[in-house]
């Protein structure tokens, strides 16, 4: 396997990553693939400095990383504009994402000592037992493209704080963003080797994962996550996996539709539907099915699809042409098996980038790809249910278990349903579970491990207990 990777890698090394604007397919620039020697050298540097980074102590690291946060804040407009241009997130959402990333990083820094300070877990007249949280070493952090700043903050932020050094690979879909991030972080004066970036596609990520590292923190597809879990297994190191999802949204008959339609829209169509925990399968009580479909149709037909850099855009392009083609295949499969397109279902005629109209599908059956696979785009399949049992069974009828959504005015019932959904996160009505202090992660094929808060810090550390006589 290793040799295969190296061979493929040498082929890729002849190339450059071309950054393409998905709103119009214009080239934005090129970035060199990291060479095999460069990756090895960066891992060596990260390993060489890990003792120093650990011994700096939590307070020292937090102070050093506050400078990184300041630099990111200073350049937040630039970061947001580049994300819109390079991966197609509408600029209004991209600004919000960059601000969210900054807020999360800030929370991690403000709360690190609460969760990483030594903790007395046992005491009697003779002995005190104290738990210490120690770094694991060098982390290979590999992320996707869908929220370029948040992907970095969620993947690398807590790693750096706990004392792990980081070799970071951003996605090949946003290499220029990766360069801007590297430049911004380097300007904060961290010791050389604490944070290093490499560039390239999956072959480069694979090569990194096979180096002398102590942890893999991966965010991305389930397929790649499972592969890296096997790589980590061979090395006998920890692998934290934040993977794909196909979140159900269950709308009960008593739901407040005036509020819920907007919430469903946001949960499914933000970032053109390219969110891991987006609402990807809508399950609606039979008595309100037609009304929900009609209201969502009206909402989707009022949206402005267009260039991501335009402030008025609601729905931007997908990240790349290949994603449009995949979406077309998934919708075609559904239509071939009897699904009805209520609205959308095609590329907009007057736009030349990676656009796809916001789409609703009914007559959906569970043998369709849109039900079985993760759909990473603005397409929402809708089915109906009659009993609560049926709704829960449909919600859990997926290999994934990341987010989930329940809509009802009956809070007691909502909590009971939440307890029966096999997912790491449940949102009831308009309440969001995304918070720097709350665990984010999946059941089943959606991942192993959690990010954020005390759970995320603990995930990235070695726990040591020291017993001492009194
Ligand atoms: P992807 O798995 O194709 O790629 C993710 C990253 O892994 C990229 O940097 C890529 O270059 C790298 N990679 C690819 N093959 C690799 C290999 N063999 N070894 C090492 N690295 C490799 O995913 P994507 O298309 O970039 O992103 C979309 C996916 O990410 C979706 O499934 C989405 O649900 C998921 N995602 C999950 C979360 C979460 O927190 N659970 C967040 C965002 C996105």
């Amino acid at each position: 396997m290793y040799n295969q990777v190296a061979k493929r890698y040498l082929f890729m090394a002849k190339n450059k990553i071309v950054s393409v604007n998905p709103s119009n397919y214009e080239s934005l620039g090129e970035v060199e693939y990291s060479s095999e020697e460069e990756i090895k050298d960066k891992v060596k540097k990260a390993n060489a400095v890990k003792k120093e980074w650990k011994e700096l102590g939590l307070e020292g690291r937090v102070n050093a990383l506050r400078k990184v946060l300041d630099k990111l804040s200073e350049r937040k407009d630039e970061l947001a504009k580049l994300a819109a241009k390079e991966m197609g997130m509408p600029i209004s959402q991209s600004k919000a994402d960059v601000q969210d990333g900054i807020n999360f990083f800030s929370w991690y820094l403000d709360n690190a000592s609460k969760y990483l300070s030594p903790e007395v877990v046992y005491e009697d007249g003779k002995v005190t037992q104290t738990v210490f949280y120690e770094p694991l070493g060098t982390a290979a952090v590999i992320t996707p493209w869908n929220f370029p700043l948040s992907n970095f903050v969620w993947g690398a932020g807590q790693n750096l704080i706990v004392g792990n050094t980081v070799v970071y690979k951003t996605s090949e879909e946003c290499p220029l963003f990766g360069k801007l991030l590297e430049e911004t972080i380097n300007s904060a004066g961290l010791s050389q080797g604490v944070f290093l970036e490499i560039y390239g596609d999956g072959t480069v990520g694979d090569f990194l994962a096979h180096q002398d590292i102590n942890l893999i923190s991966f965010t991305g597809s389930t397929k790649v996550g499972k592969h890296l879990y096997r790589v980590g297994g061979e090395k006998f190191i920890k692998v934290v996996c934040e993977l794909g999802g196909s979140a159900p949204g269950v709308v009960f008959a008593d739901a407040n539709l005036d509020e819920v339609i907007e919430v469903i829209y946001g949960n499914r169509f933000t970032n053109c539907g390219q969110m891991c925990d987006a609402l990807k399968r809508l399950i609606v009580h039979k008595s309100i099915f037609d009304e929900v479909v009609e209201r969502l149709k009206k909402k989707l037909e009022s949206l402005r699809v267009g260039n991501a850099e335009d402030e008025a855009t609601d729905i931007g392009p997908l990240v790349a042409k290949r994603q449009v083609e995949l979406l077309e295949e998934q919708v075609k499969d559904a239509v071939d098996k009897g699904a009805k397109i209520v609205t959308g279902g095609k590329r907009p005629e007057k736009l030349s980038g990676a656009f796809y109209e916001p789409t609703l599908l009914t007559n959906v059956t569970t043998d369709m790809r849109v039900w079985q696979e993760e759909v990473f785009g603005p397409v929402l399949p809708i089915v109906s249910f009659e009993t609560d049992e049926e709704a829960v069974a449909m919600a859990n009828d997926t290999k994934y278990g990341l987010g989930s959504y329940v809509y009802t005015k009956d809070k007691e019932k909502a909590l009971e349903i939440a307890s029966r959904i096999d997912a790491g996160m449940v949102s009831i009505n308009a309440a969001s579970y995304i918070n720097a202090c709350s665990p984010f992660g999946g059941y089943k094929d959606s991942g192993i491990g959690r990010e954020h808060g005390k759970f995320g810090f603990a995930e990235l550390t070695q726990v040591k207990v020291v017993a001492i006589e009194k």
Side-chain angles (χ1 to χ4, degrees):
M1 181 65 205
Y2 184 88
N3 283 339
Q4 273 175 6
V5 170
K7 270 186 216 151
R8 268 190 295 140
Y9 174 74
L10 287 174
F11 168 71
M12 297 308 296
K14 292 179 193 147
N15 298 317
K16 292 187 175 186
I17 317 166
V18 179
S19 170
V20 174
N21 181 340
S23 290
N24 52 26
Y25 293 143
E26 278 172 14
S27 167
L28 295 169
E30 291 179 342
V31 170
E32 295 266 350
Y33 269 78
S34 296
S35 70
E36 190 173 326
E37 285 65 38
E38 183 190 336
I39 298 166
K40 285 183 177 167
D41 182 56
K42 287 191 168 164
V43 171
K44 202 169 157 191
K45 286 194 170 109
N47 279 328
V49 82
K50 64 188 179 189
K51 186 164 175 284
E52 180 194 319
W53 188 235
K54 176 186 174 188
E55 289 176 356
L56 184 59
L58 183 58
E59 199 183 331
R61 291 194 298 271
V62 165
N63 288 338
L65 291 166
R66 282 202 193 281
K67 295 190 186 118
V68 172
L69 182 65
D70 291 344
K71 294 290 175 194
L72 290 171
S73 300
E74 279 169 24
R75 300 185 80 169
K76 65 182 180 184
D77 287 344
E78 225 178 311
L79 289 161
K81 279 183 190 153
L82 186 53
K85 199 178 252 196
E86 195 173 37
M87 59 68 58
M89 189 187 302
I91 184 70
S92 56
Q93 295 170 26
S94 166
K95 283 180 186 165
D97 173 51
V98 168
Q99 191 57 54
D100 280 352
I102 287 168
N103 294 347
F104 272 52
F105 205 168
S106 177
W107 188 95
Y108 300 158
L109 292 168
D110 291 346
N111 290 276
S113 74
K114 186 169 164 192
Y115 298 118
L116 293 170
S117 297
E119 196 183 330
V120 175
V121 289
Y122 178 76
E123 219 170 353
D124 64 18
K126 292 185 186 154
V127 68
T128 304
Q129 295 182 353
T130 308
V131 163
F132 292 84
Y133 296 93
E134 297 190 347
L136 287 166
T138 294
V141 178
I142 301 173
T143 62
W145 43 266
N146 60 340
F147 291 92
L149 189 69
S150 288
N151 290 153
F152 155 76
V153 170
W154 292 24
Q158 287 187 303
N159 259 304
L160 289 165
I161 293 170
V162 304
N164 296 327
T165 55
V166 167
V167 181
Y168 178 63
K169 193 192 88 63
T170 189
S171 168
E172 59 274 32
E173 298 292 356
C174 50
L176 296 179
F177 190 94
K179 281 282 174 195
L180 178 58
L181 192 63
E182 184 180 18
E183 186 188 310
T184 307
I185 295 172
N186 283 347
S187 70
L190 287 180
S191 294
Q192 218 221 343
V194 169
F195 175 85
L196 294 160
E197 236 182 291
I198 59 167
Y199 297 88
D201 63 8
T203 57
V204 171
D206 212 355
F207 190 78
L208 170 64
H210 283 83
Q211 302 307 303
D212 180 19
I213 51 164
N214 309 105
L215 161 74
I216 300 174
S217 284
F218 175 72
T219 308
S221 63
T222 295
K223 185 174 164 218
V224 175
K226 286 188 175 180
H227 166 69
L228 290 175
Y229 200 67
R230 284 191 288 271
V231 173
E234 276 298 312
K235 297 170 84 79
F236 208 48
I237 60 170
K238 197 166 188 179
V239 184
V240 179
C241 286
E242 295 291 346
L243 310 178
S246 182
V250 182
V251 191
F252 287 95
D254 68 341
N256 173 2
L257 292 190
D258 288 338
E259 178 185 287
V260 161
I261 297 298
E262 273 306 311
V263 178
I264 293 173
Y265 164 68
N267 288 336
R268 165 69 282 199
F269 294 93
T270 301
N271 199 17
C272 202
Q274 301 169 116
M275 295 189 291
C276 49
D277 64 328
L279 194 174
K280 295 175 185 145
R281 296 172 300 126
L282 191 64
I283 301 160
V284 181
H285 192 264
K286 198 177 167 200
S287 62
I288 52 165
F289 185 83
D290 290 344
E291 187 181 355
V292 169
V293 171
E294 198 44 46
R295 286 202 194 203
L296 279 171
K297 176 176 187 280
K298 200 167 156 206
K299 171 75 195 174
L300 297 192
E301 288 176 355
S302 73
L303 299 173
R304 191 160 163 160
V305 181
N307 191 309
E309 290 169 83
D310 184 343
E311 288 280 354
T313 290
D314 299 303
I315 303 274
L318 286 119
V319 71
K321 194 172 174 202
R322 65 175 164 75
Q323 289 297 108
V324 182
E325 289 165 357
L326 170 61
L327 205 57
E328 282 175 335
E329 283 172 21
Q330 289 170 320
V331 171
K332 181 175 182 309
D333 169 80
V335 171
D336 288 349
K337 289 174 180 158
K340 181 181 160 214
I341 294 170
V342 177
T343 185
K346 59 180 178 6
R347 303 182 193 200
E349 276 148 28
K350 291 185 184 149
L351 294 169
S352 62
F355 294 95
Y356 197 82
E357 289 182 355
T359 299
L360 291 182
L361 296 175
T362 54
N363 287 3
V364 170
T365 47
T366 56
D367 59 335
M368 293 176 183
R369 290 179 62 182
V370 290
W371 186 268
Q372 291 180 356
E373 297 175 4
E374 178 174 42
V375 177
F376 226 51
V379 173
L380 181 59
I382 316 180
V383 297
S384 69
F385 73 91
E386 287 186 61
T387 66
D388 292 2
E389 291 307 318
E390 234 185 304
V392 171
M394 283 199 258
N396 288 333
D397 181 28
T398 170
K399 62 183 180 177
Y400 295 108
L402 194 58
S404 60
Y405 303 87
V406 175
Y407 307 102
T408 168
K409 287 187 198 131
D410 183 343
K411 291 194 176 141
E412 209 173 307
K413 175 176 179 154
L415 289 171
E416 193 267 327
I417 297 290
S419 75
R420 291 160 66 193
I421 293 182
D422 301 330
M425 287 109 38
V426 185
S427 155
I428 296 168
N429 297 331
S432 169
Y433 47 69
I434 298 193
N435 195 309
C437 67
S438 299
F440 190 99
Y443 283 26
K444 304 194 278 186
D445 275 10
S446 287
I448 293 190
R450 295 291 182 273
E451 286 176 333
H452 310 325
K454 64 175 182 178
F455 309 93
F457 281 129
E459 201 75 66
L460 305 170
T461 55
Q462 194 69 266
V463 176
K464 179 185 279 176
V465 65
V466 177
I468 187 163
E469 294 166 334
K470 282 199 162 166

